[in-house]
């Protein structure tokens, strides 16, 4: 990313909610348009932050369909999310095509509310653009968003960890390939912005994760599966 584009990029990491989620605001300062990634828990606070920064939210991006990132009912409680955002702003929710059916059921959205995306797609935000990287494993349609040297990694890659693979729709083999073949192939200076605040620091780099994240260091799938508690 050039220095001029770097100055124009608007990027906020917001710790929100009792599950230590990170919500992201990413946009173009020149046009004032921003996208929100994984809007949940405190929609008023998210919108207020963007407005105070002189930005307007024009798109909603979702890393995966779990309610703590999307909104919806979870363990008998309702989490505010995409449905509440759409009541306030006329935005489309960008979700991987594999998870569009789940999003409609869990968040109560209609097909007209959604934009189904797949790996390699670009999403324009003002004059900036984000690239979609499909990273299944934690869920079938888990996806990361890359803008310049910033990677919003959702629940695929954490600082020093990775997302769970023992949930419905999870797949440990897919997680191995998403981590080792997709994310670890990015440049070492790519900055990792995870979906949860589970570490002693809010960000990392791909280079640091290659060196220190045990989940990213396995040389074979069987070795990874054994470590994760699977015999296959």
């Amino acid at each position: 990313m050039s220095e001029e584009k770097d100055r124009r990029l608007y990027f906020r990491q917001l710790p929100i909610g009792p599950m230590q989620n990170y919500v992201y605001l990413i946009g173009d300062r020149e046009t004032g348009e921003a996208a929100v990634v994984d809007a949940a828990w405190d929609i008023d606070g998210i919108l207020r932050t963007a407005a105070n920064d002189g930005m307007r939210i024009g798109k909603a991006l979702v890393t995966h369909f779990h309610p703590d990132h999307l909104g919806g009912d979870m363990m008998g409680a309702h989490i505010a999310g995409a449905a509440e955002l759409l009541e306030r702003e006329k935005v489309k929710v960008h979700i991987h095509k594999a998870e569009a059916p789940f999003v409609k059921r869990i968040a109560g959205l209609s097909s007209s509310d959604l934009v189904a995306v797949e790996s390699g797609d670009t999403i324009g935000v003002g004059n900036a653009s984000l690239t979609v990287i499909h990273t299944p494993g934690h869920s079938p349609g888990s996806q990361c968003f890359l803008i310049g040297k910033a990677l919003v990694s959702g629940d695929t890659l954490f600082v020093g960890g990775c997302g769970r693979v023992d949930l419905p729709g999870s797949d440990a083999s897919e997680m191995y390939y998403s981590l080792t073949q997709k994310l670890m192939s990015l440049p070492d200076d790519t900055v990792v912005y995870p979906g949860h605040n589970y570490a002693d620091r809010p960000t990392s780099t791909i280079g640091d994760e290659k060196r220190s994240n045990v989940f990213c260091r396995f040389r074979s799938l069987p070795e990874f599966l054994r470590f994760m508690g699977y015999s296959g």
Side-chain angles (χ1 to χ4, degrees):
M1 182 179 292
S2 70
E3 186 175 336
E4 180 183 356
K5 287 184 177 179
D6 214 22
R7 287 196 300 267
R8 284 175 45 182
L9 178 64
Y10 168 74
F11 195 105
R12 291 288 299 267
Q13 181 188 52
L14 307 176
I16 295 179
M19 296 180 69
Q20 298 175 280
N21 286 75
Y22 282 127
V23 174
Y24 293 93
L25 292 169
I26 305 170
D28 176 7
R29 294 182 187 277
E30 185 174 87
T31 64
E33 182 182 357
V36 57
V37 181
D38 289 353
W41 300 102
D42 183 5
I43 301 304
D44 286 342
I46 294 167
L47 291 171
R48 184 166 55 249
T49 297
N52 288 343
D53 291 343
M55 306 295 290
R56 65 184 184 281
I57 294 177
K59 290 182 173 69
L61 282 54
V62 182
T63 60
H64 63 293
F65 73 93
H66 292 161
D68 59 316
H69 296 260
L70 170 70
D73 293 331
M74 184 175 186
M75 295 182 292
H78 180 75
I79 300 171
E84 287 76 11
L85 176 64
L86 266 61
E87 291 174 358
R88 302 279 303 276
E89 298 289 342
K90 294 180 179 179
V91 300
K92 298 285 188 179
V93 177
H94 294 65
I95 188 78
H96 190 269
K97 63 180 184 179
E99 296 192 352
F102 302 117
V103 170
K104 288 190 282 187
R105 184 176 73 248
I106 292 170
L109 303 179
S110 66
S111 296
S112 62
D113 296 324
L114 305 180
V115 175
V117 299
E118 55 188 311
S119 203
D121 285 354
T122 57
I123 302 170
V125 184
N127 292 319
S129 64
L130 301 91
T131 301
V132 176
I133 304 174
H134 182 211
T135 54
H138 182 63
S139 72
S142 282
Q143 57 187 359
C144 302
F145 303 106
L146 181 67
I147 181 166
K149 293 183 177 180
L151 177 76
V152 177
S153 58
D155 281 10
T156 299
L157 176 63
F158 298 135
V159 178
C162 72
R164 291 176 60 179
V165 293
D166 60 343
L167 301 171
S170 297
D171 187 310
S173 297
E174 293 276 21
M175 177 64 84
Y176 172 77
Y177 289 115
S178 290
L179 291 173
T180 62
Q181 306 301 310
K182 294 185 178 182
L183 297 188
M184 293 304 107
S185 69
L186 295 172
D188 282 2
D189 60 351
T190 304
V191 181
V192 176
Y193 292 90
H196 288 273
N197 181 16
Y198 288 160
D200 59 356
R201 60 195 190 281
T203 68
S204 182
T205 65
I206 291 296
D208 284 344
E209 295 308 299
K210 284 180 181 178
R211 289 184 288 271
S212 62
N213 187 335
V214 64
F215 298 96
C216 301
R217 292 174 56 84
F218 291 98
R219 296 183 180 276
S220 72
L221 175 60
E223 187 181 5
F224 180 80
L225 292 176
R226 285 194 296 272
F227 182 80
M228 301 297 278
Y230 296 88
S231 58

